Amino acid sequence: MTREQAAVFFFTCVGFGFIPGPALLQTVSLTMQHGRRAGFLSALGIHLGAMFQIAIVALGAVAVLKASPVLYQSLKVASGAYLVWLGILRIRASADAVGARVLPKNVVSSSAFIEATNPKSALFYFSFLVQFTDPERSLALGWQLFLLGVCANLLFSLSDVICVLLAHPLRAGAMNGQRALKCGQWATGSLFIALGVAAIVGQ
């Protein structure tokens, strides 16, 4: 990879890392509700889920996924339904629970699931990473994809950490009023539901 390609790779990853999506929304929402620790645990879960996606890409399974509309649509519906369920749980949570210090038991696993079952992430990794590979190199194409994916994932995780650090100070102000907490609760829950419905209907 040339210096120019490396620069494009770096800035593209950083830019994509701050684009709002299910994973980033999960991290910011948990940070606002439960504090910095919850946000970092969510970022860890997203990182693990992304590694699963990268492994799929490296093994070439994305090609099978793209060639199977039924499998692709099934995964979209499953992940979309899960997002809708998370959104409903977020809205139904009591205001006291929103500001509670006790963390949900499934922060890491739910965040990992959101990222690992997002077919758009797998397709993005494949479409993006392949642009920086070179079949003529001695290193196997699968290993090139895997190493590039690890680098991209680390940059994405850095973006998540920055978002946690930016969202945490906002939580202190929100804790001053239950109405603000409830509004944020409904907003994040509604966004999860909207994203889930969009994934199901294919918008």
Side-chain angles (χ1 to χ4, degrees):
M1 184 186 300
T2 65
R3 290 183 179 180
E4 290 77 12
Q5 288 178 317
V8 171
F9 180 84
F10 174 82
F11 288 110
T12 302
C13 288
V14 172
F16 271 106
F18 287 102
I19 293 178
L24 185 60
L25 181 60
Q26 167 86 341
T27 299
V28 173
S29 174
L30 287 172
T31 302
M32 292 289 292
Q33 293 183 21
H34 300 285
R36 201 158 30 197
R37 185 178 174 221
F40 287 143
L41 288 175
S42 177
L44 173 62
I46 294 170
H47 182 86
L48 296 175
M51 289 303 299
F52 175 78
Q53 295 275 21
I54 292 165
I56 290 177
V57 170
L59 293 173
V62 174
V64 177
L65 186 65
K66 292 174 69 176
S68 176
V70 175
L71 179 59
Y72 178 76
Q73 292 300 326
S74 298
L75 190 55
K76 281 186 65 178
V77 171
S79 60
Y82 185 72
L83 286 175
V84 171
W85 180 64
L86 284 179
I88 293 174
L89 290 180
R90 194 64 45 81
I91 291 174
R92 293 182 61 185
S94 66
D96 291 337
V98 173
R101 292 185 178 183
V102 178
L103 297 179
K105 296 180 179 180
N106 63 339
V107 171
V108 175
S109 59
S110 63
S111 298
F113 184 89
I114 288 174
E115 181 66 16
T117 59
N118 186 355
K120 291 183 179 180
S121 292
L123 293 174
F124 165 77
Y125 274 118
F126 178 80
S127 302
F128 175 66
L129 297 178
V130 75
Q131 306 299 322
F132 300 91
T133 60
D134 184 359
E136 301 299 325
R137 291 183 179 179
S138 56
L139 187 63
L141 183 61
W143 279 110
Q144 291 184 48
L145 288 170
F146 180 77
L147 294 175
L148 286 169
V150 169
C151 292
N153 190 21
L154 289 173
L155 291 172
F156 291 153
S157 297
L158 177 61
S159 300
D160 292 334
V161 169
I162 293 175
C163 287
V164 169
L165 295 176
L166 292 175
H168 185 259
L170 300 177
R171 179 176 182 265
M175 291 292 289
N176 292 329
Q178 293 297 317
R179 181 176 297 180
L181 286 174
K182 197 64 180 178
C183 289
Q185 191 177 340
W186 272 86
T188 55
S190 299
L191 284 173
F192 266 103
I193 294 174
L195 289 169
V197 172
I200 293 174
V201 302
Q203 298 297 327

